[in-house]
């Protein structure tokens, strides 16, 4: 007969607001579920966002609510695969007009770059020897070079981060292909690994080859089924159109961002600084105006794609895992802080009595930290997220709306179940990248 360990008593006190019994949170926040006393005690020290960022957040919250209602009326797309997805993709005239206008505006932005290139060449060739005109031509060529459309390079990524291809990790890529097929798209040619608490998909090169970015800060705190949900969401971006991710519009955002940086006001330390700021104010306001219009035209489509990518996650991994992934996003900030603390702690062991690699076990300790977060803390974070309007970034719908859509719709069973033996095999293929990145973190 085995002995049962005695239960640890949890201290309880009365809520100072409503008198309800409140359990002591220990190392987590003590709060009242009945009246939300102390649910959000932290004083946020955030930088005041600029005009464009404030607009992004405001539009994201407004469109997030509207799209949630719209998709709910059309029916939950995750409940019946292709049938539901066709309903979710039912085109609207507003969406088509906005997308067309966004493409037209992007063409105009790139037209300015082309005009700078052509004008610069003409000033240099046709006006050579005519005073300062060739110098202005050289300046125009320099601006055109900075503003040119960019094609990401995987070669540059390989210099700083581990990059896996199919021969390096056949089991991982087989899993990626299976998840991609389950959401109606194809896999990737490479996987870039880093330490971020994030994941994303992108393209590189003129041929726009697909690449998946896996941040171990997020990947390592997920259960196997939550990892399937993460992959389903990311591959869902390929199967659901998003104007903002297109080469044409995406590079227009890059060009406008470069213009904003170039025309940013200088610190006024002299009369000349005041004069320069005054002269650059009109084009700066024009660039801001164009960027605001492009944001307005594309943000709704981007958020729609995020909701539909969540549906893809539910179809691949099941509703429960997809909703749990939303919860994991809420602790991403604390996970990043814990990873930094663990890295410092491991660094202090270098040169000590310990002989093993100080980077060993870093990710396991991070996963243990995430697994120790109690359900009560997740509930508090959900309520805080709703109060603050938490978003992964300003292009995503508020996280609490994404969680609500998944949990209040029709529940879906997992299309792919990542069995423990297979999960271990995939982990083994990532072991080298995990150790490399852990060592880099420990070295600081």
């Amino acid at each position: 007969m085995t002995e049962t360990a005695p239960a640890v008593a949890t201290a309880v006190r009365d809520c100072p607001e409503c008198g309800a019994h409140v359990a002591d949170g220990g190392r987590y926040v003590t709060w009242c579920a009945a009246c939300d006393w102390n649910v959000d005690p932290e004083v946020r020290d955030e930088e005041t966002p600029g005009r464009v960022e404030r607009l992004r957040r405001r539009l994201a919250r407004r469109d997030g609510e509207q799209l949630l209602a719209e998709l709910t009326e059309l029916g939950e797309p995750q409940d019946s695969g292709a049938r539901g997805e066709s309903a979710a993709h039912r085109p609207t005239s507003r969406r088509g007009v906005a997308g067309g206008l966004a493409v037209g505006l992007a063409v105009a932005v790139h037209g300015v770059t082309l005009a700078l290139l052509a004008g610069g060449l003409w000033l240099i060739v046709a006006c050579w020897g005519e005073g300062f005109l060739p110098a202005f031509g050289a300046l125009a060529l320099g601006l055109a070079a900075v503003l040119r459309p960019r094609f990401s390079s995987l070669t540059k990524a390989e210099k700083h981060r581990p990059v896996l291809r199919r021969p390096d990790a056949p089991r991982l890529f087989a899993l990626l292909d299976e998840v991609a097929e389950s959401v109606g798209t194809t896999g990737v040619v490479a996987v870039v690994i880093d330490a971020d608490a994030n994941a994303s998909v992108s393209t590189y090169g003129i041929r726009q080859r697909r690449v998946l970015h896996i941040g171990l800060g997020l990947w390592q705190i997920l259960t196997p089924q939550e990892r399937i949900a993460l992959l389903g969401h990311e591959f869902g971006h390929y199967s659901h159109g998003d104007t903002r991710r297109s080469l044409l519009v995406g590079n227009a955002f890059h060009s406008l961002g470069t213009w904003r940086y170039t025309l940013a006001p200088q610190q006024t330390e002299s009369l000349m600084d005041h004069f320069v700021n005054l002269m650059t104010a009109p084009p700066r306001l024009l660039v801001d105006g164009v960027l605001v219009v492009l944001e307005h035209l594309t943000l709704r489509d981007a958020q729609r794609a995020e909701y539909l990518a969540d549906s893809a996650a539910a179809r691949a991994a099941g509703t429960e895992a997809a909703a749990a992934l939303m919860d994991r996003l809420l602790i991403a900030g604390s996970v990043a802080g814990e990873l930094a603390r663990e890295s410092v702690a491991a660094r202090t062991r270098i040169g000590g009595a310990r002989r093993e690699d100080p980077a060993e076990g870093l990710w396991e300790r991070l996963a243990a930290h995430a697994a120790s977060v109690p359900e009560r803390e997740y509930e508090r974070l959900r309520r805080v997220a709703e109060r603050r309007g938490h978003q992964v970034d300003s292009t995503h719908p508020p996280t609490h709306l994404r969680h609500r859509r998944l949990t209040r719709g029709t529940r879906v069973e997992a299309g792919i179940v990542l069995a423990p033996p297979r999960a271990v095999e995939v982990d083994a293929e990532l072991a080298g990248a995990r150790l490399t990145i852990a060592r880099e973190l420990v070295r600081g």
Side-chain angles (χ1 to χ4, degrees):
M1 180 174 166
T2 58
E3 295 183 3
T4 303
V8 178
T10 302
V12 177
R13 66 176 181 176
D14 292 338
C15 171
E17 293 289 338
C18 69
H21 293 313
V22 176
D24 180 43
R27 64 186 176 123
Y28 297 99
V29 174
T30 300
W31 63 287
C32 178
C35 69
D36 278 355
W37 166 79
N38 205 42
V39 70
D40 188 12
E42 299 178 7
V43 177
R44 287 175 289 170
D45 184 17
E46 299 178 348
E47 293 184 4
T48 302
R51 290 192 304 271
V52 174
E53 184 63 21
R54 287 198 301 270
L55 175 76
R56 283 173 175 164
R57 295 182 184 182
R58 186 167 65 252
L59 288 176
R61 292 169 188 174
R62 185 202 67 186
D63 289 347
E65 292 277 3
Q66 293 177 353
L67 280 169
L68 178 62
E70 177 184 317
L71 292 173
T72 301
E73 289 178 5
L74 289 174
E76 294 297 329
Q78 69 263 29
D79 63 0
S80 55
R83 177 182 64 80
E85 201 161 315
S86 64
H89 281 152
R90 191 177 300 153
T92 63
S93 59
R94 178 173 59 179
R95 185 184 178 197
V97 170
L101 290 174
V103 170
L105 190 55
V107 169
V109 170
H110 294 308
V112 173
T113 303
L114 186 61
L116 285 171
L117 176 63
L121 288 174
W122 183 82
L123 286 173
I124 291 175
V125 175
C127 303
W128 187 260
E130 298 184 17
F132 291 102
L133 291 179
F136 287 130
L139 178 61
L141 286 180
L143 282 173
V146 171
L147 296 169
R148 74 188 187 279
R150 302 300 176 94
F151 301 96
S152 300
S153 171
L154 201 57
T155 303
K156 292 181 180 179
E158 288 179 301
K159 295 179 181 179
H160 307 286
R161 293 165 289 180
V163 176
L164 302 178
R165 292 179 173 82
R166 289 184 180 273
D168 305 319
R171 293 177 179 83
L172 170 64
F173 276 85
L175 177 63
L176 299 181
D177 290 341
E178 185 177 353
V179 175
E181 184 180 3
S182 74
V183 301
T185 187
T186 56
V188 296
V189 300
V191 178
V192 179
I193 312 294
D194 58 34
D196 294 343
N198 197 6
S200 63
V201 288
S202 63
T203 55
Y204 73 94
I206 296 178
R207 297 176 64 183
Q208 294 294 279
R209 295 180 179 272
R210 294 178 174 184
V211 61
L212 171 69
H213 298 253
I214 294 179
L216 293 179
L218 178 60
W219 182 264
Q220 290 299 135
I221 69 172
L222 302 179
T223 66
Q225 209 57 30
E226 289 165 2
R227 292 175 182 177
I228 296 295
L230 177 67
L231 297 175
H233 177 92
E234 297 305 330
F235 281 117
H237 282 298
Y238 286 131
S239 57
H240 303 124
D242 182 355
T243 307
R244 190 182 282 258
R245 289 176 178 265
S246 68
L247 185 64
L248 186 68
V249 176
N251 271 293
F253 274 109
H254 166 77
S255 294
L256 289 170
T258 303
W259 275 116
R260 291 189 79 226
Y261 177 80
T262 304
L263 298 170
Q266 306 296 317
Q267 286 188 341
T268 53
E269 298 178 354
S270 66
L271 185 60
M272 179 59 69
D273 293 332
H274 283 284
F275 177 74
V276 171
N277 287 341
L278 182 64
M279 294 299 295
T280 57
R284 182 167 63 248
L285 291 174
L286 176 61
V287 170
D288 278 353
V290 173
L291 186 55
V292 164
V293 172
L294 195 58
E295 287 281 353
H296 186 74
L297 292 173
T298 60
L299 189 56
R300 184 180 177 86
D301 196 37
Q303 294 207 21
R304 185 186 186 91
E306 290 295 337
Y307 276 131
L308 296 179
D310 288 341
S311 298
R315 288 198 305 277
T319 298
E320 184 178 348
L325 177 62
M326 296 297 104
D327 286 339
R328 298 296 193 181
L329 296 177
L330 296 177
I331 65 170
S334 66
V335 165
E338 183 67 19
L339 181 59
R341 286 190 291 272
E342 285 288 349
S343 301
V344 172
R347 196 177 307 146
T348 60
R349 301 188 186 109
I350 298 177
R354 296 170 56 122
R355 294 184 177 181
E356 66 268 24
D357 189 336
E360 289 284 356
L362 178 67
W363 301 112
E364 288 74 14
R365 292 191 294 273
L366 183 69
H369 164 76
S372 70
V373 178
E375 173 56 32
R376 181 178 176 82
E377 177 64 8
Y378 277 117
E379 176 58 28
R380 185 187 74 83
L381 291 173
R382 292 184 201 113
R383 299 190 188 192
V384 171
E386 186 165 359
R387 286 187 169 203
R388 295 186 182 182
H390 173 276
Q391 299 161 261
V392 172
D393 60 38
S394 58
T395 66
H396 285 61
T399 306
H400 73 278
L401 296 181
R402 298 170 64 190
H403 188 277
R404 181 189 303 170
R405 178 168 178 267
L406 288 167
T407 55
R408 296 185 183 180
T410 305
R411 296 280 174 153
V412 183
E413 296 300 321
I416 299 172
V417 176
L418 185 56
R422 190 180 184 188
V424 170
E425 292 176 347
V426 172
D427 270 347
E429 293 180 338
L430 292 172
R434 280 201 306 269
L435 186 57
T436 297
I437 294 174
R439 285 172 175 168
E440 290 176 356
L441 290 171
V442 170
R443 284 198 299 267

